[in-house]
Amino acid sequence: MKTLDRVLVLPELPEPIERLEELAYNLWWSWHPEAAELFETLDPALWLRVNHNPVKLLRFISQERLNEAAADATYLERYRRVMHAFDAYMNATDTWFARTFPDKADKPIAYFSAEFGLHESLPIYSGGLGVLAGDHCKTASDLGIPLVGVGFLYPQGYFQQRISADGTQEAIYEKINFEEVPVQPAKTPDGEDAYVRVELPGRTVTARVWKIQVGRVPLYLLDTDVDPNAPEDRELAARLYGGDNEMRLSQEIILGIGGVRALRVLGIEPVAWHMNEGHSAFLGLERVRELVEEHGLSFAEAREAVAASTLFTTHTPVPAGHDAFTFDLIERYFYTYWPRLGLSREEFFALAHHDLPWGPRFSMTVLALRLSAFHNGVSELHGHVSREMWQELWPGVPVEEIPIGHITNGVHFWSWIAPELAALFDKYLPTDWRERIDDPEVWEALDAIPDDELWALRRELKQQMIEALRARVTVQRTRHGQTSAELRHVADLLDPKALTIGFARRFATYKRATLFFRDLERAHAIITNSERPVQIIFAGKAHPADEPGKALIKRITEISKMPGFKDRVLFVEDYDMHVARLLTHGVDIWMNNPRRPLEASGTSGMKAAINGVPNFSVLDGWWREAYDGTNGWPIGDEREYESEDEQDDADARSLYETLENDIVPLYFDRDEAVPHGWLQTVRASIRTVAPQFNTVRMLKEYVHMYYIPAAEAWARFTADNFARARALAAWKQRVRAEWPRIRLVAERPATHVVHIREPIPFSARAWLGNLTPDDVRVEVVYRYEREDVRTPIRTLTLTPAGLESDGSIRFTGELVPEENGRLEVGVRVVPHHEDLLTPHAMALITWAE
Ligand SMILES: *Cc1c(COP(=O)(O)O)cnc(C)c1O
């Protein structure tokens, strides 16, 4: 037929189930299995084909199926139950946040992220950062936190991964059909479609604003593939992490500057702002510009108000992982913008200046640190690494006092727990356990689950995974041109009885995906043991430009075809949230062996642990905090090495020894086919990880430590036409000007041996120039050292005791040692003002001579 045109004919939802459409457009369904089942049971085969996407399902399902469901009493009963739960959730007024902060329930908190991992059918995420952002939004919804997400709706998203027969990674970009994903046009308060405009060199780019509803939390996503943009600008944000540095800069300008404008167009006035990674740091500049141009503040005054209400979370312990641009590029994009901030070119560049081995750069991390008063890393160790990495911005300040804290990541429990396991918990945990997952006491009841029941479920989850993986491999090998005779061998792939190791993550070289094969003979012996067989499943994408990462994938594919390894080593293509669920539910142990300390946190191991899949990992990121000797196994030692080679050798040896001596024997130690000892580790894994490494605990910490203080600072700083922001800026300017003249001379303690609790007098003279004792704090800084163990730094504030004849002011005080050991002391002067939100906010410090 000669086609003239195409028209999409949609089925019509029968009246008794007409709200399925509304349900499909709220991602709430994705973490409520009974809601997902409503869609699945309509047409299970279609559900698989549409990649669990209910919007698409409702486009293509046959009218007959819908009519049947609408006439099926059991289906209708389930439908009513789900819709009732949905309405109760959406209309709830007694959420955790509303109860805890009743006066703040309607004050929005903006959360900016370059990627959001919400569901496999919405490929606008690449990995851990995005999945964390998605889990953050879902949990904010569950807790009633008035969060508003801002990001991109990339029309081509992140790539799909195909692995060719020889192990080559191919990147496929498919255009997302916006009709088939749960996005809707965002509307202005007047009911108009929302658009924003952002200036780029020589032109203005328009971005459309879309909305995705994540439970109660709206997510606003920008899209530049719209009229009247030029073709290159329509492509500008087509892909996540696609294109060169210049495209990346353009994307970040649209995200930061366009994102602020989007919220304004929508009539949303956040009281706190969260930059999830440095990609969105330009949001701080845009907010400064608003205050300068619309409220007449100076740059310094505006910056005080902006920083006071902003949190920046850094995620990267790898220096090269921080976005940085050349000044030439920045000049081209910002030369019309910095005058609007009231800054000169030099001042603007200095804001984000960072010296790198390959030359000075405009660093998005430095910019983010300078435009936010609150900063954090994503695990305890990563907090420490970040303080060391950025110490140069606070010269003279001891590393442990650098104002970068940490909140360890977590996972959204309901998105990652196997529904079958949650059903088992319903049977044995306290009846209100679903409301108390962050309460350790709930998890003590795990011991009540009988071993054989727990083991039967673990085996069932593994069997489901193996079948799903065989189906995926069949699709892949069909594509490779295998005959149906050859395809029959897929049935031999993976052994349900073998101890199954899962390894899935981004294929960056520091993650060392091939470490298990460092000694190929030893790996072979472990895998092919006929009594105690072991198998290993890999998945993960390498960035399309990362050749060494892609070579690792190829190497694993090669090994998976070698004698002995065949059918026992598998690389699963196209790692996404669906594959992540399959693997973290179905394998027996979860392995992670990055080169320490380069893993900021990691979250996939938490998903595994809560499903009863113990971790076997390097003591880095979150696992360093979670491992307690009973809930899994470590790889390697917590130490540093001369060379990467030496580290890799040591870690590989440790990996083999632990597998051979501990893990494999425990797994195969059975009594009537049940591995009682193993199940103790399974229980310990759930009991220790579930209450701690979930996003309920994490979000509550974000709220208490940062969101509420930021919102309160914003209220204070903006009151009376920004009186406090103006005063603080003026005070800082005065202090900064005087600081070079400050001198401090301290007297040494008269004696060097005292007894515990015997006061040690301290006295120091300070020359403060035109500052007064109120503008500063003179402090004794001290810590104890006993047998190489040092306590954290503590401080004692000295009090002014009068003017000396030499023009100095004397400060005195008594330190009463409350511990014995070697006492290390220093004396210093730092600026002090009640509106400084963190110590060392000014990075000025003078130590006593
Ligand atoms: C959870 C998850 C990640 C992050 O896992 P890591 O432990 O940080 O590697 C990455 N990708 C997907 C698809 C995930 O679900």
Side-chain angles (χ1 to χ4, degrees):
M1 162 172 111
K2 184 163 178 287
T3 307
L4 171 68
D5 204 348
R6 288 198 170 79
V7 177
L8 180 64
V9 183
L10 302 173
E12 193 171 10
L13 277 170
E15 191 271 332
I17 55 171
E18 66 182 355
R19 291 185 65 205
L20 280 180
E21 176 94 2
E22 185 189 339
L23 194 63
Y25 273 87
N26 188 325
L27 281 148
W28 178 87
W29 73 264
S30 71
W31 70 94
H32 292 84
E34 44 319 331
E37 273 164 28
L38 273 190
F39 296 115
E40 181 177 11
T41 48
L42 286 175
D43 187 338
L46 180 59
W47 179 244
L48 282 183
R49 284 203 302 282
V50 298
N51 200 18
H52 319 118
N53 176 349
V55 175
K56 201 165 171 183
L57 180 100
L58 294 182
R59 295 274 178 282
F60 293 111
I61 194 163
S62 75
Q63 187 67 49
E64 291 71 40
R65 295 254 184 187
L66 291 176
N67 295 347
E68 274 167 32
D72 175 347
T74 6
Y75 187 84
L76 285 179
E77 178 49 34
R78 282 166 47 210
Y79 170 82
R80 270 185 224 111
R81 262 206 315 272
V82 169
M83 294 317 294
H84 180 75
F86 179 56
D87 289 337
Y89 181 96
M90 293 303 289
N91 300 327
T93 50
D94 65 335
T95 62
W96 170 80
F97 191 83
R99 284 195 308 271
T100 317
F101 302 99
D103 60 324
K104 296 214 164 46
D106 59 349
K107 303 236 163 56
I109 297 158
Y111 179 82
F112 280 57
S113 180
E115 41 174 314
F116 285 93
L118 297 161
H119 187 257
E120 56 265 25
S121 61
L122 208 57
I124 55 170
Y125 66 95
S126 79
L129 180 74
V131 174
L132 181 79
D135 282 7
H136 196 103
C137 293
K138 291 171 182 174
T139 312
S141 168
D142 289 345
L143 294 175
I145 299 167
L147 198 84
V148 176
V150 179
F152 267 117
L153 186 60
Y154 306 95
Q156 297 175 29
Y158 198 59
F159 74 95
Q160 287 177 38
Q161 181 195 51
R162 300 253 192 288
I163 306 296
S164 71
D166 72 350
T168 306
Q169 168 178 291
E170 291 158 11
I172 314 277
Y173 289 92
E174 256 181 43
K175 198 158 158 77
I176 304 174
N177 184 344
F178 288 1
E179 299 280 309
E180 296 176 356
V181 287
V183 302
Q184 291 168 304
K187 300 286 184 187
T188 66
D190 302 335
E192 304 285 324
D193 287 353
Y195 287 88
V196 294
R197 290 150 65 82
V198 178
E199 303 74 32
L200 291 183
R203 68 218 197 259
T204 298
V205 173
T206 299
R208 177 162 196 187
V209 191
W210 297 90
K211 176 179 169 178
I212 292 184
Q213 198 64 42
V214 185
R216 289 181 276 245
V217 166
L219 207 64
Y220 294 104
L221 302 176
L222 303 166
D223 166 26
T224 63
D225 188 11
V226 291
D227 287 331
N229 289 342
E232 313 82 78
D233 290 334
R234 300 184 65 131
E235 287 281 307
L236 200 63
R239 297 174 178 182
L240 169 60
Y241 304 143
D244 57 9
N245 246 357
E246 181 160 353
M247 188 179 266
R248 189 150 175 143
L249 175 63
S250 307
Q251 286 191 356
E252 294 183 0
I253 290 172
I254 291 169
L255 176 63
I257 296 178
V260 173
R261 293 180 186 172
L263 292 176
R264 303 306 184 208
V265 165
L266 296 166
I268 297 170
E269 297 293 332
V271 295
W273 302 68
H274 187 168
M275 302 167 176
N276 186 42
E277 198 40 298
H279 308 129
S280 57
F282 293 131
L283 82 82
L285 290 182
E286 176 64 3
R287 293 179 57 217
V288 167
R289 186 200 60 75
E290 290 177 333
L291 297 181
V292 169
E293 292 192 337
E294 293 160 25
H295 294 266
L297 271 62
S298 70
F299 176 85
E301 293 162 348
R303 200 225 323 226
E304 292 305 334
V306 167
S309 50
T310 306
L311 165 66
F312 164 53
T313 302
T314 174
H315 291 263
T316 328
V318 190
H322 293 259
D323 271 351
F325 301 104
T326 61
F327 287 106
D328 285 353
L329 190 61
I330 291 294
E331 172 138 35
R332 275 207 289 123
Y333 276 76
F334 283 94
Y335 75 97
T336 57
Y337 195 82
W338 64 64
R340 303 178 69 184
L341 305 174
L343 290 183
S344 69
R345 176 176 178 271
E346 288 64 36
E347 288 167 330
F348 185 75
F349 286 179
L351 256 187
H353 185 107
H354 189 212
D355 283 313
L356 288 162
W358 40 92
R361 290 288 186 275
F362 187 96
S363 158
M364 294 302 283
T365 304
V366 174
L367 184 69
L369 288 169
R370 293 256 168 77
L371 294 175
S372 57
F374 305 99
H375 328 292
N376 75 297
V378 292
S379 70
E380 187 183 55
L381 182 59
H382 178 238
H384 178 74
V385 169
S386 302
R387 287 189 286 278
E388 279 189 338
M389 196 166 193
W390 300 106
Q391 190 175 14
E392 63 186 76
L393 297 191
W394 286 270
V397 176
V399 66
E400 64 177 277
E401 288 186 281
I402 301 294
I404 302 178
H406 80 271
I407 291 181
T408 304
N409 283 343
V411 292
H412 181 242
F413 189 87
W414 306 109
S415 293
W416 297 105
I417 191 74
E420 297 87 342
L421 191 55
L424 189 64
F425 294 158
D426 280 334
K427 219 165 132 188
Y428 292 101
L429 298 189
T431 49
D432 61 348
W433 76 275
R434 285 172 179 263
E435 279 75 58
R436 290 169 52 202
I437 56 162
D438 60 335
D439 177 355
E441 202 186 296
V442 160
W443 299 98
E444 293 304 321
L446 281 171
D447 287 339
I449 305 179
D451 273 359
D452 49 356
E453 218 172 320
L454 185 57
W455 183 235
L457 182 60
R458 288 290 335 141
R459 289 180 48 189
E460 180 192 327
L461 291 172
K462 186 169 173 181
Q463 188 64 36
Q464 283 176 12
M465 172 194 73
I466 289 177
E467 279 160 24
L469 293 181
R470 285 176 184 161
R472 282 179 84 98
V473 170
T474 304
V475 171
Q476 182 184 15
R477 293 190 183 169
T478 305
R479 209 182 59 232
H480 294 166
Q482 290 202 353
T483 63
S484 47
E486 286 169 315
L487 286 174
R488 272 200 287 280
H489 292 298
V490 174
D492 301 327
L493 186 63
L494 301 177
D495 175 0
K497 294 205 180 58
L499 168 68
T500 306
I501 304 173
F503 180 103
R505 51 196 32 86
R506 201 155 50 81
F507 269 59
T509 46
Y510 77 87
K511 306 231 184 195
R512 300 188 298 188
T514 52
L515 190 72
F516 181 79
F517 302 112
R518 197 166 171 88
D519 180 342
L520 212 50
E521 266 176 50
R522 204 158 166 187
H524 188 270
I526 291 172
I527 285 191
T528 55
N529 185 315
S530 58
E531 249 114 76
R532 306 192 297 194
V534 174
Q535 60 195 0
I536 177 162
I537 303 173
F538 292 92
K541 295 174 177 176
H543 188 278
D546 178 8
E547 295 304 328
K550 290 195 278 190
L552 293 178
I553 293 177
K554 197 160 193 169
R555 177 68 184 146
I556 290 173
T557 311
E558 279 164 17
I559 293 173
S560 73
K561 292 179 183 161
M562 289 163 53
F565 291 116
K566 199 171 144 305
D567 295 333
R568 298 290 168 267
V569 175
L570 174 66
F571 187 94
V572 185
E573 66 180 3
D574 206 23
Y575 182 45
D576 66 359
M577 290 176 72
H578 174 55
V579 175
R581 274 201 310 278
L582 273 179
L583 299 185
T584 55
H585 295 178
V587 300
D588 292 306
I589 58 173
W590 195 252
M591 188 169 82
N592 186 16
N593 46 32
R595 220 171 260 134
R596 207 175 164 274
L598 299 182
E599 182 93 327
S601 167
T603 51
S604 59
M606 306 173 189
K607 302 168 191 168
I610 60 173
N611 282 291
V613 176
N615 280 259
F616 174 37
S617 296
V618 165
L619 292 172
D620 197 6
W622 81 280
W623 183 234
R624 181 182 157 273
E625 288 163 55
Y627 173 64
D628 72 353
T630 71
N631 57 357
W633 295 270
I635 297 174
D637 297 307
E638 287 195 74
R639 52 163 284 206
E640 273 147 42
Y641 292 90
E642 295 287 314
S643 70
E644 291 187 347
D645 226 31
E646 193 194 335
Q647 183 172 9
D648 295 355
D649 270 336
D651 287 347
R653 257 197 321 276
S654 156
L655 190 159
Y656 294 131
E657 279 166 16
T658 308
L659 256 182
E660 291 162 347
N661 303 335
D662 302 328
I663 299 177
V664 173
L666 185 67
Y667 184 79
F668 287 100
D669 180 11
R670 307 287 165 92
D671 179 14
E672 312 240 339
V674 178
H676 297 286
W678 180 262
L679 291 170
Q680 283 308 104
T681 311
V682 167
R683 277 200 190 78
S685 164
I686 303 173
R687 188 178 60 239
T688 54
V689 176
Q692 187 61 24
F693 298 91
N694 65 67
T695 37
V696 170
R697 185 271 309 153
M698 180 183 94
L699 256 295
K700 286 180 178 175
E701 288 181 3
Y702 273 105
V703 166
H704 284 294
M705 289 167 64
Y706 299 124
Y707 290 169
I708 295 294
E712 287 177 344
W714 176 250
R716 263 199 332 275
F717 279 44
T718 52
D720 304 326
N721 194 18
F722 298 91
R724 291 183 95 108
R726 292 177 204 262
L728 184 60
W731 176 83
K732 276 192 178 178
Q733 193 185 8
R734 189 162 64 81
V735 170
R736 213 172 277 291
E738 285 299 316
W739 204 261
R741 298 170 55 188
I742 287 203
R743 250 187 86 209
L744 185 66
V745 175
E747 275 138 45
R748 279 167 208 288
T751 160
H752 283 89
V753 183
V754 293
H755 282 108
I756 192 163
R757 281 185 285 280
E758 182 183 333
I760 311 170
F762 277 90
S763 176
R765 285 173 299 149
W767 285 263
L768 298 178
N770 289 320
L771 300 183
T772 71
D774 286 341
D775 294 324
V776 298
R777 205 163 240 176
V778 176
E779 304 173 317
V780 175
V781 185
Y782 62 101
R783 66 178 156 206
Y784 301 94
E785 188 185 320
R786 210 160 54 226
E787 293 183 60
D788 290 341
V789 181
R790 285 167 154 190
T791 63
I793 282 183
R794 296 171 210 182
T795 55
L796 165 78
T797 303
L798 300 182
T799 44
L803 204 58
E804 294 287 307
S805 55
D806 58 7
S808 68
I809 298 165
R810 185 167 294 280
F811 286 79
T812 57
E814 273 182 357
L815 174 60
V816 182
E818 61 280 351
E819 289 182 32
N820 65 317
R822 203 178 302 282
L823 183 64
E824 222 188 314
V825 289
V827 182
R828 71 185 180 194
V829 53
V830 292
H832 176 68
H833 190 284
E834 61 173 336
D835 281 337
L836 288 181
L837 294 169
T838 53
H840 308 298
M842 290 186 71
L844 292 177
I845 188 164
T846 297
W847 291 89
E849 295 158 22

